[in-house]
Amino acid sequence: MNSDVVRQVTGLRETVARLHRELTRYDLVAWTAGNVSARVPGQDLMVIKPSGVDYDDLTADCMVVCDLNGTVVDGAGSPSSDTAAHAYVYRAMPEVGGVVHTHSGYATAWAARGEAIPCWLTAQADEFGGEIPVGPFALIGGDDIGKGIVSTLSGHRSPAVLMRNHGVFTIGRDARAAVKAAVMCEDVARTAHLARALGQPLPIAQADIDSLHDRYQNVYGQRGATGRPATS
């Protein structure tokens, strides 16, 4: 790697290590489950969590750099068992800069039922643009999970998918956006569960979902240098 790429990778190792602390902060993971990865911009590389390492022990130095076939390029440890899934997403969706996987309780309960989360909340319309869909069952270790993520989310406004009997995968323009989507997915799943336990939640008209999503994605928050809202 040339010096510019080394600087990029060094920064992303620090970012990815820090973002893993957000997963524990929001109670989205247990023990060593879950992972965050980030694409190295302009390179066929990604930075991902090592497999089976306690969250308290995760540092920038132990993050693993892989190519987009999942082959380790730099790092002493073995990468996450979900590396092939992340790599497939990056290969198939060049607009994606970050991928996150969690087994957060309420969202994973919807996944265990194989049930999409209907759009009953304005916050869900904002972030997800409609329902949070369910992806197919797939075994861990190969790229079948990645294929399920891509086939479900391609052409879908949601940055989150509930992989059946497994858990949550989220995507974003960068790793921070993907972590935010994972946090919001669990928040929506919990509220939707409680609402349905109390009775039949009220639907939101599609036109209103569209309007809410457009406002949140294009107007809400402070605008960054790219012209997009800095908080979306």
Side-chain angles (χ1 to χ4, degrees), residues 24-106:
T24 56
R25 176 186 176 194
Y26 287 99
D27 295 324
L28 303 185
V29 294
W31 201 241
T32 63
N35 39 71
V36 177
S37 73
R39 183 199 294 268
V40 181
Q43 305 296 321
D44 289 334
L45 298 171
M46 66 178 183
V47 176
I48 195 166
K49 168 182 174 285
S51 178
V53 176
D54 289 345
Y55 277 82
D56 289 344
D57 296 330
L58 290 179
T59 65
D61 288 342
C62 71
M63 295 296 118
V64 183
V65 182
C66 296
D67 66 21
L68 297 191
N69 292 309
T71 302
V72 174
V73 172
D74 188 45
S78 298
S80 165
S81 59
D82 289 307
T83 295
H86 289 240
Y88 186 92
V89 172
Y90 290 129
R91 292 198 309 271
M93 305 179 83
E95 72 278 13
V96 171
V99 179
V100 172
H101 172 47
T102 79
H103 298 155
S104 58
Y106 282 91

Side-chain angles (χ1 to χ4, degrees), residues 79-206:
S80 165
S81 59
D82 289 307
T83 295
H86 289 240
Y88 186 92
V89 172
Y90 290 129
R91 292 198 309 271
M93 305 179 83
E95 72 278 13
V96 171
V99 179
V100 172
H101 172 47
T102 79
H103 298 155
S104 58
Y106 282 91
T108 300
W110 287 82
R113 294 195 298 262
E115 184 175 357
I117 304 175
C119 190
W120 294 324
L121 303 166
T122 59
Q124 183 173 344
D126 288 345
E127 181 72 25
F128 300 97
E131 72 169 21
I132 299 175
V134 172
F137 177 80
L139 293 176
I140 300 167
D143 60 11
D144 285 349
I145 291 173
K147 292 176 181 177
I149 296 167
V150 170
S151 66
T152 304
L153 293 185
S154 293
H156 204 292
R157 292 194 295 205
S158 174
V161 56
L162 311 176
M163 292 300 287
R164 186 168 67 83
N165 300 104
H166 186 171
V168 180
F169 282 84
T170 60
I171 58 175
R173 67 182 183 276
D174 55 29
R176 184 179 183 274
V179 170
K180 180 193 174 189
V183 172
M184 297 302 294
C185 181
E186 178 63 5
D187 184 64
V188 164
R190 179 175 57 249
T191 305
H193 169 79
L194 293 172
R196 194 163 66 174
L198 292 170
Q200 180 56 49
L202 301 176
I204 301 175
Q206 185 62 51

